[in-house]
Amino acid sequence: MSFYSVIEQYRDFDFEGYFAGVTEEMFRKSMHHAEEERCTGFDLLNFLSPRGDEHLEEMAVLAQKLTRHYFGRVVSLYQPIYLANYCCNGCVYCGFSSLNKIKRRQLTLDEIEKEAAEISKSQVRHILMLTGEAPGKSDFAYLKEAAAILKKYFDSVSVEVYPLSCEQYAELKAIGVDGLTIYQETYDEAVYDRLHLYGPKKDYRFRLDTPERGAKAGLRVIGIGALFGLGNPMRDGFFSAMHASYLLHHYPDTEVTLSVPRIKKAPETFPITKIVDDTDFVKLMVAFRLFLPRVGLNVSTREAPEFRNHIVGLGITKMSGGSKTDVGGYSGDNPSDEQFEISDERSVEEVAAMLKEEGFTPVYKDWWQLV
């Protein structure tokens, strides 16, 4: 069983031709399906088509209604911690790529403890543990020791590291890890192959099946998505949401979260298929909500403060705050270069204050951990 079988069904599908042929009647029928919460993949395509641009406000209103129904006015907060930025992959778009000459480092166990203690001074009790993809440097034994340290300080520990086996995810779960985040980057297999020049990440299928291995291991939360702009954004949006739907169907006890990270400007090293502007971002987000009313939607500090303020009411259920994307960034102890530039530099307290001002309740610890 693999989501790849779903991708294969659309191998020869003419996405651009279908998008161009979406009529007003087709769109209206899809909105009716969304109201009744019985959308199909074709409804998702209709939302992502240019016809959706014409009705973006209407889609946003319904998305807000569905979010209120299932999530209330609550937004969960989390923070990332970067343990290492060594990487053996040749990904032409990533700041950590081995192609780049950057300052690299890996935290010792004592330094992880120091970073964790600094982060825990905020009220946030959700941590996301990240490394570059260098199993020879940040080996599995190191990941387990790091997770055990973080578990002392945080109630929820998720990992965003190189793809692991089902058995390895089960070992992390036994330590206390409850979540996995991994992005396919682009679901277009041909584009994926061109962008990943060498290294273990070049294995499209192994990465694609990673969320399912985490779900099989019993991890509570699985976060997925694409890096929008690498491939056709609406095509990648379609497969991202279909992937989430697949996981929810096959692993109903698993909480699935979708993210919409985007490349805002084209690096000189490779061509971007399409710069994802704010309208595209909102369309992707509300289309996800209409298609999957109960899925979590995450927005990171890649986005500017004003934009995050404006979209929080349209479907967002999870946000980061006070983030650092360099190794050692919280304690300020010889930090490395950043993986990507942060646009929203507000502290956790400032993000929480914004949420309250917008009428939302910031949550630092999930309700399930209170029982």
Side-chain angles (χ1 to χ4, degrees):
M1 184 166 58
S2 169
F3 179 65
Y4 191 71
S5 62
V6 178
I7 293 177
E8 285 280 81
Q9 294 173 22
Y10 292 89
R11 178 70 64 186
D12 299 318
F13 187 80
D14 181 6
F15 284 89
E16 293 304 318
Y18 183 89
F19 286 150
V22 175
T23 65
E24 182 69 16
E25 181 182 1
M26 291 166 65
F27 182 84
R28 295 257 61 87
K29 185 176 292 186
S30 291
M31 287 296 291
H32 180 66
H33 291 167
E35 290 171 352
E36 295 184 338
E37 299 183 31
R38 56 182 185 92
C39 286
T40 69
F42 286 103
D43 294 313
L44 174 62
L45 287 169
N46 294 344
F47 298 143
L48 294 172
S49 74
R51 188 72 59 174
D53 295 317
E54 301 172 13
H55 299 282
L56 192 56
E57 184 174 353
E58 181 184 356
M59 290 169 62
V61 170
L62 181 54
Q64 184 181 60
K65 178 182 176 181
L66 290 169
T67 305
R68 294 282 193 278
H69 179 71
Y70 285 108
F71 297 93
R73 301 184 69 88
V74 168
V75 176
S76 296
L77 298 176
Y78 72 96
Q79 286 186 280
I81 177 172
Y82 282 75
L83 305 185
N85 64 353
Y86 289 96
C87 193
C88 58
N89 292 314
C91 310
V92 300
Y93 55 87
C94 181
F96 283 177
S97 171
S98 64
L99 297 166
N100 300 327
K101 297 184 183 298
I102 62 172
K103 179 180 178 180
R104 299 186 187 272
R105 65 174 300 218
Q106 177 170 303
L107 298 180
T108 65
L109 299 182
D110 286 342
E111 288 172 331
I112 293 172
E113 189 109 31
K114 185 177 180 181
E115 284 278 284
E118 186 64 30
I119 297 169
S120 68
K121 291 178 182 178
S122 74
Q123 297 182 63
V124 171
R125 290 298 172 262
H126 296 265
I127 196 79
L128 176 62
M129 181 177 97
L130 302 98
T131 67
E133 295 202 11
K137 187 75 176 178
S138 307
D139 62 19
F140 185 61
Y142 174 79
L143 297 182
K144 290 197 294 182
E145 290 178 301
I149 292 171
L150 295 177
K151 191 60 185 175
K152 294 191 298 184
Y153 291 88
F154 304 98
D155 297 287
S156 175
V157 178
S158 291
V159 294
E160 187 176 344
V161 298
Y162 49 88
L164 302 172
S165 68
C166 186
E167 293 74 21
Q168 288 173 317
Y169 285 125
E171 286 188 51
L172 289 176
K173 181 177 184 293
I175 294 172
V177 171
D178 65 336
L180 159 68
T181 293
I182 189 159
Y183 300 130
Q184 188 61 24
E185 314 298 16
T186 176
Y187 285 84
D188 188 318
E189 196 168 0
V191 173
Y192 185 98
D193 186 64
R194 290 199 303 270
L195 298 179
H196 301 92
L197 304 182
Y198 56 80
K201 193 172 180 179
K202 194 171 179 65
D203 190 335
Y204 174 93
R205 287 287 303 274
F206 189 70
R207 189 173 187 86
L208 182 72
D209 292 337
T210 302
E212 189 158 10
R213 293 195 298 276
K216 287 179 179 178
L219 295 181
R220 183 182 65 88
V221 184
I222 305 293
I224 64 171
L227 180 54
F228 290 92
L230 295 182
N232 181 297
M234 299 306 150
R235 185 181 187 277
D236 274 337
F238 172 75
F239 282 115
S240 295
M242 291 293 283
H243 198 175
S245 178
Y246 170 92
L247 292 169
L248 289 169
H249 176 74
H250 290 285
Y251 305 95
D253 293 332
T254 302
E255 177 186 328
V256 179
T257 299
L258 276 166
S259 297
V260 193
R262 57 175 168 164
I263 297 176
K264 295 185 179 180
K265 59 182 179 181
E268 296 178 358
T269 52
F270 69 103
I272 299 296
T273 298
K274 181 183 186 300
I275 294 297
V276 177
D277 60 23
D278 289 353
T279 299
D280 292 328
F281 187 106
V282 171
K283 183 167 75 168
L284 285 162
M285 188 182 69
V286 298
F288 290 167
R289 172 59 68 231
L290 299 187
F291 180 59
L292 298 168
R294 306 185 191 193
V295 80
L297 294 179
N298 172 52
V299 60
S300 76
T301 51
R302 284 177 181 264
E303 300 302 328
E306 298 80 8
F307 185 66
R308 295 219 300 173
N309 293 358
H310 290 149
I311 66 171
V312 68
L314 300 181
I316 297 302
T317 63
K318 192 173 184 180
M319 299 180 80
S320 54
S323 300
K324 303 291 184 182
T325 65
D326 46 2
V327 181
Y330 293 99
S331 62
D333 185 13
N334 190 30
S336 69
D337 291 334
E338 295 180 321
Q339 184 183 28
F340 60 85
E341 184 178 345
I342 289 174
S343 296
D344 189 346
E345 298 182 344
R346 290 177 294 184
S347 66
V348 171
E349 293 75 18
E350 290 172 321
V351 172
M354 176 275 291
L355 289 172
K356 291 176 182 177
E357 187 174 331
E358 296 291 332
F360 292 86
T361 300
V363 172
Y364 305 95
K365 180 176 178 176
D366 272 350
W367 64 269
W368 70 271
Q369 294 165 330
L370 302 177
V371 298

